[in-house]
């Protein structure tokens, strides 16, 4: 079923809490609904959103906003775990109409389980489910807001894991050919916070992700390399305890979107040539946190750069830098206008550029 609303208030559909509206809003709960849409007749531009957790509406949207409510979970045949479904869209009943519309069987390696997940499912609901089933691979991503389709498009990551690492197939509706297409993990070209489906990617405006097939491990594979995670776990490496610890760690550093509007990490961690890092390290009075990449470049935490420029906890009008994590910009009063967030972003970028010669890039999508 398709839900249609004109001049839709989007305040509750973006975690920044920007008080903007969309000329037309369409919400659907099955793959068959996509066949019923005449995309050429929709108000332009057309934008598909997930949970609104990694975007900044810079103004009212003059076109059509699409949103999926396809929210099933299904263990694929051959995985030996049975079938578990949840939500209203148990399986895309129109999927057989397109080439490669559904996974053509479950392939399984030793100790692996493949799961098909609807794009409209809340991502943390998936993390909760996998942890409850003892399936490893995304437990470090627990607590991240948003939905599965957007997670696959943006290759979300945290605490040493990225969603793209477990994605095996992405199924999408081609709005031009009016058919379904399967993309392999290699087709998605996953990189740091990137896939071909992300805004600016070559496929971002043409395809609508309907469901994602992920491959998880039924054998324990804790990922403990990030920061002080191993120490925080205090020897308990059960998947449930890891999930609880990750969520507690996030909650201690990041604002709750229901109380303080934000879009999570606002900037990407910059990757620089080693010579740039060494120059910064030589002139810094304190150690410079960094990560050495295999290609010889160095990743420096954007949060550290921002804090060194004195922005941590600072407020500019109704916008502010979160006092516990300078990588996060917040709607401090709940009344911030898009231009206030944009102004604060610009000021931070200027400061980092002038002090370190590094150009920060936003992780948050601007619409």
């Amino acid at each position: 079923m398709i839900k249609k609303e004109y001049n839709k208030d989007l305040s509750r559909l973006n975690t920044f809490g920007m008080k903007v509206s969309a000329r037309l809003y369409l919400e659907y709960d099955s793959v068959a609904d996509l066949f019923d849409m005449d995309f050429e007749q929709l108000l332009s531009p057309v934008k598909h959103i997930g949970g609104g957790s990694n975007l900044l509406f810079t103004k009212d949207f003059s076109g059509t906003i699409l949103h999926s409510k396809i929210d099933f979970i299904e263990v694929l045949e051959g995985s030996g775990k049975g079938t578990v479904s949840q939500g209203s869209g148990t399986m895309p009943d129109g999927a057989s109409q397109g080439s490669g519309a559904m996974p053509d069987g479950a392939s399984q390696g030793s100790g692996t389980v493949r799961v098909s997940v609807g794009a409209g499912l809340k991502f943390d609901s998936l993390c909760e489910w996998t942890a409850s089933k003892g399936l490893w691979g995304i437990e470090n991503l627990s607590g991240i807001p948003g939905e599965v389709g957007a997670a696959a498009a943006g290759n979300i990551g945290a605490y040493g894991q990225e969603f793209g690492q477990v994605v095996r197939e992405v199924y999408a509706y081609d709005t031009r050919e009016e058919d379904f297409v399967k993309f392999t993990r290699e087709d998605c070209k996953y990189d740091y916070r990137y896939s071909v489906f992300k805004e600016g990617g070559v496929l971002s405006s043409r395809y609508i992700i309907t469901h994602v097939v992920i491959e998880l491990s039924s054998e324990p594979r804790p990922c403990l390399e990030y920061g002080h995670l191993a120490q925080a776990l205090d020897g308990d490496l059960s998947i449930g305890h890891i999930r609880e610890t990750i969520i507690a760690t996030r909650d201690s550093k990041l604002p709750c979107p229901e109380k303080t509007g934000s879009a999570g990490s606002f900037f990407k961690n910059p990757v620089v040539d080693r010579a740039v890092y060494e120059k910064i390290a030589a002139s810094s009075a304190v150690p410079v946190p960094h990560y050495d990449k295999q290609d010889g470049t160095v990743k420096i935490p954007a949060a550290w750069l921002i804090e060194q420029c004195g922005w941590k906890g600072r407020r500019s009008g109704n916008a502010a830098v979160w006092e516990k994590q300078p990588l996060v910009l917040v709607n401090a009063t709940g009344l911030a206008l898009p231009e206030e967030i944009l102004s604060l972003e610009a000021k931070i970028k200027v400061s980092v550029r002038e002090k370190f010669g590094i150009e920060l890039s936003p992780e948050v999508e601007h619409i």
Side-chain angles (χ1 to χ4, degrees):
M1 184 177 71
I2 300 175
K3 177 182 177 182
K4 178 187 291 187
E5 295 182 60
Y6 287 95
N7 299 315
K8 170 72 171 179
D9 179 10
L10 300 177
S11 301
R12 296 181 179 273
L13 294 171
N14 73 97
T15 58
F16 241 130
M18 293 293 100
K19 292 177 171 55
V20 295
S21 63
R23 181 79 181 280
L24 175 62
Y25 176 79
L26 297 177
E27 188 172 84
Y28 60 94
D29 59 14
S30 74
V31 171
D33 291 334
L34 294 172
F35 283 105
D36 294 334
M37 293 184 193
D38 187 344
F39 285 86
E40 292 185 355
Q41 297 301 314
L42 295 181
L43 293 173
S44 182
V46 177
K47 175 66 180 176
H48 200 292
I49 66 170
S53 59
N54 193 45
L55 53 83
L56 170 65
F57 280 101
T58 61
K59 57 184 176 181
D60 288 337
F61 195 77
S62 60
T64 303
I65 291 290
L66 297 175
H67 181 243
S68 170
K69 293 292 287 183
I70 301 174
D71 57 357
F72 67 87
I73 299 176
E74 181 169 357
V75 177
L76 295 183
E77 180 184 354
S79 290
K81 292 281 187 177
T83 297
V84 179
S85 299
Q86 80 175 47
S88 58
T90 53
M91 282 303 291
D93 47 3
S96 61
Q97 301 179 50
S99 60
M102 287 298 302
D104 42 4
S107 59
Q108 177 185 350
S110 175
T112 63
V113 177
R114 289 200 173 191
V115 181
S116 183
V117 190
L121 182 74
K122 289 185 177 180
F123 185 78
D124 191 56
S125 294
L126 174 61
C127 293
E128 180 181 29
W129 183 88
T130 58
S132 72
K133 302 300 180 183
L135 298 177
W136 298 74
I138 59 172
E139 60 281 351
N140 289 20
L141 306 182
S142 293
I144 295 180
E147 297 172 1
V148 169
N155 189 24
I156 62 172
Y159 300 102
Q161 289 182 342
E162 292 183 344
F163 191 48
Q165 293 170 335
V166 301
V167 169
R168 288 300 170 263
E169 297 162 348
V170 172
Y171 291 81
Y173 180 71
D174 185 338
T175 60
R176 294 184 193 173
E177 299 297 329
E178 299 182 349
D179 202 353
F180 287 87
V181 181
K182 177 179 77 174
F183 296 89
T184 66
R185 182 183 184 280
E186 291 71 27
D187 294 333
C188 295
K189 300 187 184 303
Y190 283 119
D191 201 348
Y192 174 60
R193 305 298 183 267
Y194 174 82
S195 82
V196 292
F197 299 104
K198 190 170 183 178
E199 183 70 15
V202 295
L203 305 182
S204 60
S205 62
R206 177 173 173 175
Y207 295 94
I208 295 174
I209 296 175
T210 58
H211 60 290
V212 181
V213 174
I214 60 176
E215 187 173 84
L216 305 169
S217 173
S218 59
E219 300 173 354
R221 294 182 181 176
C223 176
L224 309 177
E225 290 79 12
Y226 190 92
H228 301 288
L229 179 57
Q231 182 179 349
L233 293 169
D234 195 27
D236 183 350
L237 302 185
S238 66
I239 192 169
H241 184 59
I242 291 175
R243 171 174 161 78
E244 292 171 357
T245 301
I246 291 292
I247 291 175
T249 301
R250 289 181 60 85
D251 289 347
S252 70
K253 296 180 179 180
L254 303 175
C256 173
E258 288 77 18
K259 297 179 181 178
T260 305
S262 81
S265 299
F266 197 92
F267 297 100
K268 297 178 183 178
N269 292 320
V271 177
V272 301
D273 291 336
R274 173 156 291 278
V276 174
Y277 159 73
E278 290 177 349
K279 180 179 179 181
I280 294 172
S283 60
S284 176
V286 295
V288 180
H290 65 284
Y291 173 75
D292 295 322
K293 295 174 65 66
Q294 291 184 348
D295 62 2
T297 59
V298 180
K299 182 186 293 185
I300 301 177
W304 184 85
L305 297 170
I306 295 168
E307 184 172 0
Q308 294 303 305
C309 290
W311 282 104
K312 187 176 182 179
R314 282 179 60 182
R315 184 165 154 180
S316 178
N318 293 297
V321 178
W322 189 238
E323 65 269 18
K324 296 180 181 179
Q325 170 52 272
L327 194 57
V328 177
L329 307 190
V330 298
N331 182 351
T333 65
L335 301 174
L337 300 173
E339 48 265 37
E340 291 181 286
I341 304 295
L342 291 171
S343 175
L344 179 57
E345 173 191 1
K347 291 174 182 177
I348 292 171
K349 291 174 70 173
V350 168
S351 292
V352 172
R353 184 190 312 125
E354 291 180 346
K355 185 176 181 65
F356 297 106
I358 293 177
E359 187 70 32
L360 290 181
S361 298
E363 180 176 328
V364 171
E365 180 183 350
H366 295 45
I367 300 177

